[in-house]
Amino acid sequence: MNDQSTAWQHWFPLIEKAVGDLSRCMFDQVGLAAGHRVLDLATGIGEPALEAAARVGPAGRVLGVDISPAMIDMAHVRAEAAGLTNAEFRVMDIGALSLPESFDIVLSRCGLMFVEDLGATLGGIRRVLEPGGRISASFWASGDETPTLSLAERTAHRVLGLPPPDEGEKTPFALCDVAATAAGLEDAGFADVRLQRVAVTFEFKSAAQFVAYREALSSRFVAPMSGRGDRVRESILQAVVEAIAPYQEADGRVRMENQAYSLSAVRP
């Protein structure tokens, strides 16, 4: 188990509380039901694969794939702890799917933003879907609409006098041009493309907890501080605490609403 997978495990309850509605939107889009065969791409430590496995029941099956062996190891542990024998996990690059089997449904919650070649990845997804099968892929809106994932990073760059952080390819915001992303699905041979906008609210006990969350999970936040010394780091962290004030309630809790999209389509 590496440091990143340990961090995901630590922060999992907070993350899942925030993005659970996004998973349920995806399930509704594809009509997830008992008996379905489901592929979950970039499953991380097993979500939404494990919730999908509970929904499809013993007659169904879920395969979750992720490029991180440590994440997949943790997904196996979670599946065993939950008693879900219909969930399997494999280490695999979602940009180069190599699967002999086919599926009724493909899910990807906030994973497609990081692929090298979206068109090639969507083509691979289409190949493993049965005719009539559906895909639901969710992704974040722009950084302006997603403060949980942009505020700390933007603040660090501002304090250090650096240009604004990249929010384009292979960042959480890579697919925020929904028209272009929808067109990518159509170009890959999908039909009946449908879009739903979903509010995702993250809640933190304090500004300090928010800062700890971003330090643990965002290399884009940590990297600019690397090698600059404790004094610079502390000044950046304090600036983040100040920047988060508009989202802070009277009791000190931080409530940040973000916007995400979920696109669904069918393989004709």
Side-chain angles (χ1 to χ4, degrees):
M1 188 180 300
N2 62 16
D3 291 343
Q4 189 70 5
S5 59
T6 301
W8 276 102
Q9 183 181 35
H10 174 78
W11 293 104
F12 173 78
L14 184 150
I15 296 169
E16 208 57 31
K17 180 180 178 182
V19 299
D21 286 346
L22 189 54
S23 293
R24 289 181 277 278
C25 171
M26 295 168 66
F27 296 159
D28 290 345
Q29 283 185 319
V30 297
L32 186 68
H36 276 148
R37 297 166 298 163
V38 181
L39 174 63
D40 181 29
L41 302 176
T43 191
I45 64 172
E47 293 298 343
L50 293 178
E51 187 175 349
R55 291 191 177 217
V56 301
R61 173 177 172 266
V62 177
L63 172 62
V65 300
D66 196 278
I67 200 168
S68 167
M71 294 282 199
I72 289 296
D73 287 346
M74 191 172 294
H76 280 297
V77 170
R78 294 185 60 234
E80 184 175 352
L84 291 169
T85 59
N86 63 337
E88 178 189 353
F89 297 94
R90 301 180 199 167
V91 177
M92 189 175 297
D93 180 355
I94 67 173
L97 289 176
S98 178
L99 294 164
E101 64 263 61
S102 58
F103 301 85
D104 306 305
I105 288 170
V106 171
L107 304 171
S108 182
R109 190 181 74 184
C110 302
L112 292 184
M113 302 96 70
F114 304 108
V115 300
E116 292 283 351
D117 186 333
L118 181 62
T121 300
L122 292 174
I125 293 170
R126 187 182 185 279
R127 286 190 292 273
V128 301
L129 264 178
E130 289 281 356
R134 298 197 68 91
I135 176 177
S136 179
S138 62
F139 48 91
W140 297 108
S142 69
D144 290 342
E145 296 180 283
T146 316
T148 301
L149 303 182
S150 64
L151 183 145
E153 291 78 358
R154 290 178 174 187
T155 301
H157 279 242
R158 173 176 57 79
V159 171
L160 293 170
L162 299 174
D166 178 23
E167 294 181 353
E169 291 183 3
K170 298 186 74 175
T171 75
F173 319 107
L175 302 183
C176 68
D177 183 341
V178 291
T181 304
L185 279 164
E186 293 173 343
D187 290 344
F190 289 94
D192 190 25
V193 178
R194 302 184 184 187
L195 173 69
Q196 188 164 340
R197 187 174 168 99
V198 183
V200 177
T201 301
F202 279 79
E203 296 182 355
F204 303 90
K205 294 178 181 178
S206 64
Q209 188 186 39
F210 170 76
V211 170
Y213 171 74
R214 296 315 290 156
E215 275 203 287
L217 294 181
S218 176
S219 61
R220 298 171 65 249
F221 177 44
V222 174
M225 296 187 283
S226 179
R228 294 181 183 266
D230 290 342
R231 182 173 297 180
V232 172
R233 175 180 172 275
E234 289 303 321
S235 68
I236 291 172
L237 300 189
Q238 181 57 38
V240 174
V241 169
E242 293 169 2
I244 208 172
Y247 305 96
Q248 199 159 20
E249 300 179 349
D251 64 358
R253 291 181 178 272
V254 174
R255 189 174 186 276
M256 306 180 81
E257 183 173 300
N258 308 270
Q259 298 299 319
Y261 296 101
S262 192
L263 272 178
S264 67
V266 64
R267 177 190 171 176

